[in-house]
Amino acid sequence: QQRSLRSDRLLIAQSIPLSVPVVFISLSFSRLNMPSSQQMAAVGLLVSSYAVYVEYKMKTKSETEDFVALCDIEQISASCSAVFELPEGHLLSYFGLVERHSDFDIPNALIGCVYYMYMLFFSFYFPPVLTKFACTMAFITTVFLAYQLTFVVPELCLVCWTTHVLNTLLWYNVMFRKTKSRVNKQKTA
């Protein structure tokens, strides 16, 4: 029973940081208010940064070091670290754009960090067509990776699914929602 209590506490401790994006998105949808693109990009940047950290720790940990990622939850068979090590975790080499294990074989999470930083800080300074293109590419990547996680390598990766939801909502926001500035321009025209 002592062991069961310890594992329950560990499960709760692991679940709290992972539930933050889910709670944030859920609260943002109350009263049918969708979170802004900047809010979703900020959450995406945090989640992707954590994924980069997990990948770095997994590659650099020593034999004696006992590192367990918060997103590796044995009780629900979730393992983000196992998914990050799959070939699909490095899409540039997976599609043959760069050589596997080269300096340019960067993880998807790092590409996600760049994407979310663009959406958060720089999308205002570029033409809307570029932002639409970036969101569409992220959405296509999301669909491919979600398919892979569901049907090819059925692994539960909470970090991955969080970014898939965020990318889909960002794509919807950019492609179909009218922002206040677009609504104001239409009213004055």
Side-chain angles (χ1 to χ4, degrees), residues 10-11 14 18 50 54 58 67-84 156-159:
L10 180 63
L11 178 62
Q14 289 175 325
L18 297 173
Y50 179 71
V54 169
M58 295 303 293
F67 173 75
V68 178
L70 292 174
C71 51
D72 289 346
I73 305 172
E74 189 177 328
Q75 290 84 347
I76 61 172
S77 301
S79 178
C80 63
S81 58
V83 171
F84 295 158
L156 178 59
C157 174
L158 299 175
V159 169

Side-chain angles (χ1 to χ4, degrees), residues 28-40 128 131-132 135 168-184 186:
S28 296
F29 276 110
S30 63
R31 296 188 209 144
L32 300 176
N33 289 332
M34 185 180 250
S36 73
S37 294
Q38 287 69 39
Q39 290 170 324
M40 289 185 284
T131 301
K132 287 181 179 183
C135 286
T168 302
L169 292 174
L170 272 168
W171 177 75
Y172 177 82
N173 254 3
V174 169
M175 299 302 284
F176 300 110
R177 279 189 73 212
K178 290 185 178 184
T179 60
K180 289 179 183 176
S181 62
R182 280 195 263 165
V183 171
N184 289 340
Q186 289 178 350

Side-chain angles (χ1 to χ4, degrees), residues 38-182:
Q38 287 69 39
Q39 290 170 324
M40 289 185 284
V43 173
L45 182 58
L46 289 172
V47 172
S48 292
S49 297
Y50 179 71
V52 169
Y53 168 75
V54 169
E55 285 198 59
Y56 174 77
K57 284 297 280 184
M58 295 303 293
K59 285 183 181 179
T60 60
K61 75 176 184 172
S62 67
E63 295 286 328
T64 59
E65 188 177 0
D66 187 30
F67 173 75
V68 178
L70 292 174
C71 51
D72 289 346
I73 305 172
E74 189 177 328
Q75 290 84 347
I76 61 172
S77 301
S79 178
C80 63
S81 58
V83 171
F84 295 158
E85 292 177 356
L86 294 172
E88 291 87 345
H90 294 253
L91 283 179
L92 295 179
S93 63
Y94 182 78
F95 287 116
L97 300 174
V98 299
E99 189 176 319
R100 183 106 170 116
H101 302 296
S102 71
D103 290 340
F104 298 107
D105 186 20
I106 58 175
N108 297 346
L110 191 56
I111 296 170
C113 285
V114 172
Y115 167 67
Y116 293 124
M117 282 193 288
Y118 168 79
M119 291 302 295
L120 187 60
F121 300 115
F122 303 111
S123 62
F124 307 107
Y125 303 110
F126 290 94
V129 69
L130 182 63
T131 301
K132 287 181 179 183
F133 176 75
C135 286
T136 300
M137 294 306 294
F139 179 68
I140 291 169
T141 303
T142 286
V143 170
F144 172 76
L145 290 173
Y147 175 84
Q148 294 288 319
L149 277 177
T150 305
F151 300 109
V152 180
V153 284
E155 290 279 349
L156 178 59
C157 174
L158 299 175
V159 169
C160 304
W161 283 106
T162 301
T163 59
H164 296 335
V165 169
L166 289 169
N167 287 344
T168 302
L169 292 174
L170 272 168
W171 177 75
Y172 177 82
N173 254 3
V174 169
M175 299 302 284
F176 300 110
R177 279 189 73 212
K178 290 185 178 184
T179 60
K180 289 179 183 176
S181 62
R182 280 195 263 165

